[in-house]
Amino acid sequence: MPCYINQVVQAAELLGLDPDTKAEMLREALQAAAGFKWGEHAFYTYDLVQEVIRKYSPDQDPYRDLKKKFNQICLDLEDEVNLIINGSKDPFQTALRIAIAGNIIDFVKGFKMDKHTIQKTLKEALDQKLDQQKIDLLRQKIEEADRILYVGDNAGEIVFDKVFIQQFDGRKVVFAVRGGPVVNDATFEDAQDAGLTESMKVITTGADLPGAMVGLSSKSFKDAFDAADLVISKGQGNYEALSGENKEVFFLLKVKCPVIAESLHFRYKVGDIVIDDLK
């Protein structure tokens, strides 16, 4: 809940609203959040809060300029990243580590992020401990799958997803982005800016939620989900949305808060990068 309210405050700042309007927007968001139902998935509450942001920005995406900035930063790093991958002993694993590390790009945690921060995180990811059995299993599942649904997360980060997908047959990949603006999550426009639409099929979830809730998504997303032999899920939001699905799903994320660490039974701590099928 605090994260949801923080997003309202950030959106109000980015929209340049005057103090009185900011206060009214925050009051409405708090009232909306009070409509949560115990036991209901948190994304239903998030949608209530998101409705307030939509009201105050009906024709604009508060995070659009920041998303474009980070798409460009990551595109500028693409050649450097490819040199690292191609020069490594195991390009698949190196590209996988870089893709997961890209999940650091999250404006909910604040705006103090730049090219240097991303470079540092990518470098650290090359040496972080990961479950080698899970890496090998994912490699095997990718090779065996005829249809892969890759559910993206943040703008900028999707550049590194693209680089990872280049390590296998991208023709069997359907890449999913959000159906509308929501924080810094990638939309179809971001996928175009990052060059994904040039090399793979890109669809949207049909919903402006920070995770691919199948029950709240479009028919095209549901069809792609049902048809997939393997789902690769990026980020915490998609983990929250898809961890209960009866499907072959691999979760790739960076643990950013204690709540997620707890939900993963403390097998990982805040700051860890994760590759796990939860089996």
Side-chain angles (χ1 to χ4, degrees):
M1 195 71 73
C3 290
Y4 296 167
I5 300 304
N6 184 44
Q7 288 175 32
V8 177
V9 175
Q10 286 185 345
E13 291 289 337
L14 290 169
L15 289 167
L17 303 178
D18 63 77
D20 289 341
T21 306
K22 286 179 187 177
E24 181 59 29
M25 183 178 177
L26 181 58
R27 276 193 293 271
E28 290 185 26
L30 290 168
Q31 290 171 352
F36 81 96
K37 297 178 181 178
W38 194 261
E40 188 176 67
H41 197 287
F43 281 175
Y44 287 95
T45 303
Y46 181 87
D47 195 39
L48 298 174
V49 175
Q50 181 69 8
E51 189 63 41
V52 176
I53 297 177
R54 295 187 201 109
K55 173 183 173 181
Y56 284 85
S57 56
D59 301 314
Q60 58 183 308
D61 175 359
Y63 292 84
R64 188 171 185 268
D65 289 344
L66 276 171
K67 290 194 296 178
K68 285 191 171 294
K69 172 186 174 182
F70 280 91
N71 278 331
Q72 191 57 56
I73 287 175
C74 293
L75 284 168
D76 290 343
L77 288 170
E78 191 171 357
D79 287 344
E80 177 183 329
V81 163
N82 276 320
L83 282 173
I84 294 171
I85 292 169
N86 295 332
S88 67
K89 293 181 180 179
D90 186 346
F92 176 91
Q93 181 172 165
T94 302
L96 172 60
R97 286 173 173 272
I98 287 172
I100 303 173
N103 193 229
I104 189 180
I105 304 171
D106 187 347
F107 304 147
V108 177
K109 305 297 288 184
F111 301 118
K112 294 180 179 179
M113 191 178 302
D114 53 21
K115 182 177 180 179
H116 174 72
T117 305
I118 296 171
Q119 286 176 307
K120 181 174 180 289
T121 302
L122 297 182
K123 183 177 179 180
E124 290 172 348
L126 300 178
D127 298 319
Q128 276 191 279
K129 185 177 180 181
L130 279 175
D131 188 331
Q132 188 63 47
Q133 289 186 327
K134 295 293 186 181
I135 294 172
D136 293 340
L137 181 59
L138 176 59
R139 192 193 316 250
Q140 176 188 334
K141 294 292 185 181
I142 288 174
E143 290 173 353
E144 294 174 348
D146 292 321
R147 296 175 297 273
I148 299 171
L149 176 63
Y150 195 117
V151 188
D153 192 15
N154 300 321
E157 173 185 353
I158 59 175
V159 172
F160 304 129
D161 295 323
K162 178 184 68 175
V163 169
F164 173 50
I165 291 169
Q166 289 169 351
Q167 295 300 313
F168 51 93
D169 187 357
R171 292 174 297 179
K172 59 185 181 181
V173 173
V174 174
F175 195 97
V177 293
R178 306 296 184 238
V182 50
V183 203
N184 67 311
D185 289 23
T187 62
F188 194 82
E189 179 182 351
D190 295 306
Q192 288 178 312
D193 290 347
L196 275 75
T197 54
E198 299 171 8
S199 56
M200 67 194 78
K201 181 178 181 180
V202 179
I203 64 172
T204 80
T205 61
D208 55 351
L209 292 172
M213 283 282 291
V214 178
L216 297 177
S217 296
S218 64
K219 183 179 184 301
S220 62
F221 179 82
K222 291 175 183 175
D223 289 345
F225 185 83
D226 291 339
D229 304 309
L230 172 67
V231 177
I232 298 176
S233 165
K234 283 297 297 294
Q236 290 190 162
N238 288 324
Y239 163 74
E240 292 180 73
L242 297 172
S243 57
E245 293 291 336
N246 183 24
K247 191 77 174 178
E248 185 77 60
V249 184
F250 260 87
F251 298 95
L252 314 180
L253 65 143
K254 188 174 181 72
V255 181
K256 302 171 190 171
C257 70
V259 174
I260 297 299
E262 181 179 1
S263 74
L264 289 163
H265 308 293
F266 296 107
R267 287 182 292 168
Y268 309 95
K269 62 182 183 300
V270 174
D272 283 352
I273 59 175
V274 175
I275 168 173
D276 206 322
D277 59 350
L278 304 185
K279 293 178 181 176

